[in-house]
Amino acid sequence: MAAADLLVVISNPLLKWTAEIYFPRSFLFITAVCRLVTWLMFASTATSVWMTVAFTVDRFVAICYEKLKTKYCTERTAAAVIGTVSVLACLETVPWAFLYGAGKIIDGVSWYCVLTPSFTNSPSWAAFEIFHRIFYPGVPFILMLLFNILTVRRILAASRARRGLRGQKSGENDKDREMENRRKSIVLLFSITGSFILLWGTTVVFSIYRRIANSYVLSVTNPRSITYQASTMLQVLSSCTNTCIYVLTQTKFREELKNAVKYPRNLIFKVMKR
């Protein structure tokens, strides 16, 4: 999941937007390279989204099914899921590689990328774009919400059983560290689902509006251009927040991160003592 998010950051903000602003005549604007970058943007985003769904399913199995956990939550299963999700995401986004055509032919080389006329006029492209824009935030959101609700229900049931075994009243659980961890887990699960749909919402709405209004030429000062840039920024941010939320909230990861930060300092002290 982290690797897919890193590819989103490399392909979208760096290869796409940074290159367009600061390196307008670089090899990245050769039509073939531009198409490759465009496909990589969509493929990495799709992979990141489905990796988040796969991680949610993994947490659901680990918490709700103890017997299945030993068979499913293994390195072999994880490798198979990662490989399958990556391949399917890359295949599903192949049509986006043909979104652009050549803008100019210079010395027999195709340069720049312009929208093909068929994209704005073809009903097939319209259906594909609307399906893609609704499918990606819609289906993953429903799946994450469903599995998170089932996971939370399991956590709450276990919490009620724990309170019964400990003989505590509902108002006396503040000293129970296990109960606090479960509350944090519930907040974490729903923060993932909520942030996903909020950050993707602007892109979905704007893409549908642009398709209906058939407005694809955007000037820099146009409010629609500002909306487009903002929606793109939020979508890219969505691909990074889930990894940060999942990882930074884990105690073991924070401990290892502290050790990594302290390691150079400790190494210097050891050298100085010698």
Side-chain angles (χ1 to χ4, degrees):
M1 185 168 67
D5 292 342
L6 179 60
L7 285 176
V8 173
V9 174
I10 292 175
S11 61
N12 205 314
L14 296 181
L15 295 181
K16 172 66 175 177
W17 299 108
T18 303
E20 184 174 324
I21 296 173
Y22 296 102
F23 307 101
R25 297 181 181 179
S26 66
F27 73 97
L28 292 172
F29 285 87
I30 298 176
T31 303
V33 178
C34 182
R35 283 178 170 178
L36 178 62
V37 171
T38 301
W39 171 77
L40 185 60
M41 287 169 48
F42 285 98
S44 59
T45 302
T47 304
S48 174
V49 170
W50 287 111
M51 287 297 181
T52 305
V53 176
F55 193 88
T56 303
V57 175
D58 182 83
R59 294 300 86 198
F60 166 74
V61 173
I63 294 174
C64 299
Y65 294 95
E66 291 293 333
K67 294 182 179 180
L68 183 60
K69 175 183 176 180
T70 57
K71 296 181 179 180
Y72 179 79
C73 299
T74 62
E75 293 184 3
R76 183 176 180 180
T77 303
V81 171
I82 291 172
T84 302
V85 169
S86 301
V87 171
L88 292 179
C90 291
L91 292 177
E92 190 274 335
T93 54
V94 165
W96 291 110
F98 303 96
L99 177 64
Y100 295 108
K104 294 182 179 179
I105 305 296
I106 302 176
D107 296 331
V109 179
S110 300
W111 283 85
Y112 305 109
C113 286
V114 296
L115 285 174
T116 58
S118 61
F119 178 74
T120 56
N121 301 323
S122 171
S124 299
W125 264 114
F128 175 77
E129 183 186 20
I130 293 176
F131 167 79
H132 180 88
R133 296 297 185 183
I134 295 178
F135 175 79
Y136 264 96
V139 175
F141 171 72
I142 292 173
L143 291 176
M144 284 191 291
L145 182 62
L146 174 63
F147 284 113
N148 285 341
I149 289 175
L150 295 175
T151 304
V152 169
R153 188 179 68 173
R154 175 70 174 183
I155 293 174
L156 293 177
S159 299
R160 287 193 295 267
R162 181 179 179 84
R163 284 197 298 266
L165 292 173
R166 290 172 61 91
Q168 294 181 340
K169 296 180 181 179
S170 58
E172 299 176 355
N173 290 325
D174 292 338
K175 297 180 181 180
D176 189 348
R177 180 171 295 182
E178 181 64 23
M179 296 296 293
E180 288 295 327
N181 291 335
R182 291 177 181 180
R183 291 193 190 99
K184 292 179 181 179
S185 297
I186 294 174
V187 174
L188 170 64
L189 291 174
F190 280 106
S191 64
I192 292 293
T193 307
S195 65
F196 178 83
I197 195 63
L198 288 175
L199 295 176
W200 270 84
T202 306
T203 298
V204 175
V205 173
F206 182 80
S207 298
I208 296 176
Y209 162 77
R210 186 173 63 172
R211 170 58 66 176
I212 295 175
N214 196 25
S215 177
Y216 290 90
V217 180
L218 302 175
S219 62
V220 178
T221 58
N222 194 312
R224 286 175 297 180
S225 178
I226 299 175
T227 304
Y228 171 70
Q229 304 293 345
S231 65
T232 302
M233 180 189 67
L234 292 175
Q235 178 187 325
V236 174
L237 182 62
S238 174
S239 299
C240 306
T241 53
N242 291 344
T243 300
C244 294
I245 293 174
Y246 272 129
V247 176
L248 293 179
T249 53
Q250 303 301 313
T251 303
K252 291 183 179 180
F253 178 82
R254 292 200 302 270
E255 292 176 355
E256 292 297 329
L257 183 61
K258 291 179 182 178
N259 293 334
V261 173
K262 293 178 181 178
Y263 179 78
R265 185 194 65 180
N266 296 336
L267 183 61
I268 293 174
F269 286 161
K270 289 181 180 180
V271 173
M272 292 177 64
K273 288 182 180 179
R274 291 180 181 178

